[in-house]
Each structure stands twice: as C-alpha cells, then as structure tokens.
Amino acid sequence: DAINLGGDLGAIAMPAVNEVMANAGTQLLSNAFMQNLPVRSAKPCIILPAFQSAHLLVMGDQGAVSIIVINNSPVSGEYSFRDDRFVGIVVPMEAGNMILVGERSEDLDQLKALFSENLEWVI
C-alpha cells in the first residue's frame, strides 16, 4: 500500500530516518540533500534474515521509489532488473548493497548518485 500511495504519505522527520538507517549499519552524511526529496516512509525490512536492512520510500518523477540498504556482502557488480511495472538497480557499496526500485519509466540514476554520495556504512 505504501508504494502505491507514497505520494499521499506525509514526510518523515529526519531523526526517524536516521534511526532506521543506523539500525541497518548506515548513515546519511548530510541531511541537506533530503530537503528536496522528503522521505515518505522509513522502516526496517527483512530482505535476508541474517542481515539488517532499511527501506526508505521517496517520491521520484514517476511515483514512489523504494531505496533499500542491506548490510550484507556486496554483489560483484551493479545490475538491473525489470518487469511489466517496475525497474530496479542493485548497487554494490563498501559494506553492503543498495537496491532502488521504481515505476518502469523512472530514471533511477539520479537517485542512485544522490544516495551513493551521501550514504556511509558504519558497521
């Protein structure tokens, strides 16, 4: 429901976003870049049961975009996936992976760059 109604959700306060991120072993280096990109949902999520993950929901140009960080072993290289509705990217990072998923016509590269530059692993 949150993905379908992302635009209807109010912005989450940055302390709550930072807490969810910290529980997954990450932190945002600067909250300033989030000024124009309010987080609509920030929750822990279970992608792989043995690893901590955080799921942020932001609004992209085409609708809600999920940004998931997982503190597991980075994949060997970036790869993308898609189906009839969604497009996604798995991005290896220094101590884990970041996954971005949005509507099929969403350009995820800008969000990938923003979060890659502003995300730090603190495991």
Side-chain angles (χ1 to χ4, degrees):
D1 288 338
I3 291 171
N4 291 327
L5 301 172
D8 296 335
L9 299 173
I12 303 295
M14 286 311 295
V17 172
N18 291 333
E19 182 180 341
V20 169
M21 298 292 284
N23 288 336
T26 63
Q27 67 183 12
L28 297 173
L29 295 175
S30 167
N31 292 340
F33 85 103
M34 298 298 291
Q35 298 280 333
N36 297 322
L37 188 69
V39 175
R40 305 299 180 143
S41 177
K43 298 185 183 275
C45 68
I46 299 173
I47 301 292
L48 300 169
F51 301 96
Q52 298 296 319
S53 304
H55 179 193
L56 304 181
L57 186 70
V58 300
M59 292 308 295
D61 293 332
Q62 304 301 315
V65 176
S66 289
I67 300 166
I68 302 166
V69 292
I70 309 168
N71 68 354
N72 64 338
S73 297
V75 294
S76 60
E78 182 176 311
Y79 64 91
S80 60
F81 55 92
R82 65 183 57 236
D83 68 10
D84 292 338
R85 180 173 176 193
F86 296 106
V87 62
I89 305 171
V90 178
V91 182
M93 301 186 84
E94 61 188 68
N97 294 288
M98 177 173 61
I99 303 167
L100 295 95
V101 180
E103 296 292 335
R104 187 172 178 87
S105 55
E106 188 73 56
D107 179 7
L108 298 176
D109 288 334
Q110 181 180 3
L111 290 171
K112 177 183 84 171
L114 274 173
F115 278 88
S116 293
E117 293 169 4
N118 287 289
L119 187 95
E120 177 180 64
W121 295 86
V122 291
I123 299 172

